[in-house]
Amino acid sequence: PSHEPSVDSSDEPSYKSSLKASHEPSPKPYDDLPVVQFRNHVSPGLCLVNKRNKLAAEDCKKTKEAQLWLIGKNGSVKSKKTGECLNGRLQVVECSKTFKKGSAFVFNKFHQTLTHANSFKSIYWNSGKLVLSENILQKGDVDSKHMWYAE
């Protein structure tokens, strides 16, 4: 029997694996966030869309990428297409490095509403491509126009 130490070649790094790792794209800071498409309850063919940095409603089949939203743990609603955040004025603007309280949203699964956390205004589809918001807590009633399917 040989008294020489055995060499296990499986512990040696492979040239191919190190080459592959160096060419992988670095993850974006929001790659692990849930991606959602908000489809209107009254008119299920309409989805919330980032249209020229304003929130609008369009045919769900028309502009798929602009209709995808990333939901942040801090309440941010971020456009997957641009990486910009929805604010309380229903504009899609550059996200600050320190997320501001005034831009947080809450999706209420029971009522299926998307509500601005600071103003308590829920987003609704009015007509055409127009999307507005109003305080539904004062009325105490959730109208179907305020409801969105989060898919």
Side-chain angles (χ1 to χ4, degrees), residues 24-38:
E24 290 178 2
S26 59
K28 294 179 183 172
Y30 49 83
D31 278 348
D32 62 338
L33 298 177
V35 178
V36 174
Q37 182 180 40
F38 294 103

Side-chain angles (χ1 to χ4, degrees), residues 94-106:
E94 183 178 331
C95 302
S96 63
K97 289 183 181 179
T98 57
F99 191 76
K100 295 180 181 173
K101 181 176 132 181
S103 294
F105 285 84
V106 175

Side-chain angles (χ1 to χ4, degrees), residues 2-142:
S2 170
H3 293 287
E4 292 179 28
S6 64
V7 178
D8 184 1
S9 63
S10 65
D11 290 340
E12 294 177 19
S14 162
Y15 173 76
K16 288 182 181 179
S17 66
S18 64
L19 182 63
K20 180 181 176 187
S22 67
H23 291 306
E24 290 178 2
S26 59
K28 294 179 183 172
Y30 49 83
D31 278 348
D32 62 338
L33 298 177
V35 178
V36 174
Q37 182 180 40
F38 294 103
R39 192 167 41 91
N40 187 262
H41 187 272
V42 175
S43 184
L46 293 177
C47 290
L48 287 181
V49 63
N50 175 5
K51 189 76 169 180
R52 292 187 218 78
N53 293 339
K54 292 193 182 221
L55 195 61
E58 277 192 352
D59 183 336
C60 294
K61 297 175 186 171
K62 187 174 180 184
T63 54
K64 187 80 172 168
E65 181 71 13
Q67 295 171 1
L68 298 178
W69 301 91
L70 300 153
I71 309 301
K73 293 174 186 163
N74 57 3
S76 63
V77 177
K78 185 181 289 193
S79 169
K80 185 170 183 192
K81 181 178 181 182
T82 65
E84 296 173 318
C85 292
L86 182 63
N87 68 17
R89 294 181 300 235
L90 306 185
Q91 300 167 328
V92 184
V93 297
E94 183 178 331
C95 302
S96 63
K97 289 183 181 179
T98 57
F99 191 76
K100 295 180 181 173
K101 181 176 132 181
S103 294
F105 285 84
V106 175
F107 183 74
N108 180 318
K109 288 183 181 181
F110 180 76
H111 290 115
Q112 295 180 309
T113 56
L114 183 59
T115 303
H116 184 249
N118 197 31
S119 68
F120 304 112
K121 290 184 176 182
S122 292
I123 295 171
Y124 69 96
W125 170 69
N126 193 26
S127 64
K129 295 181 180 182
L130 189 59
V131 174
L132 302 171
S133 66
E134 66 181 354
N135 189 327
I136 60 172
L137 296 177
Q138 290 175 340
K139 295 187 331 182
D141 183 30
V142 177

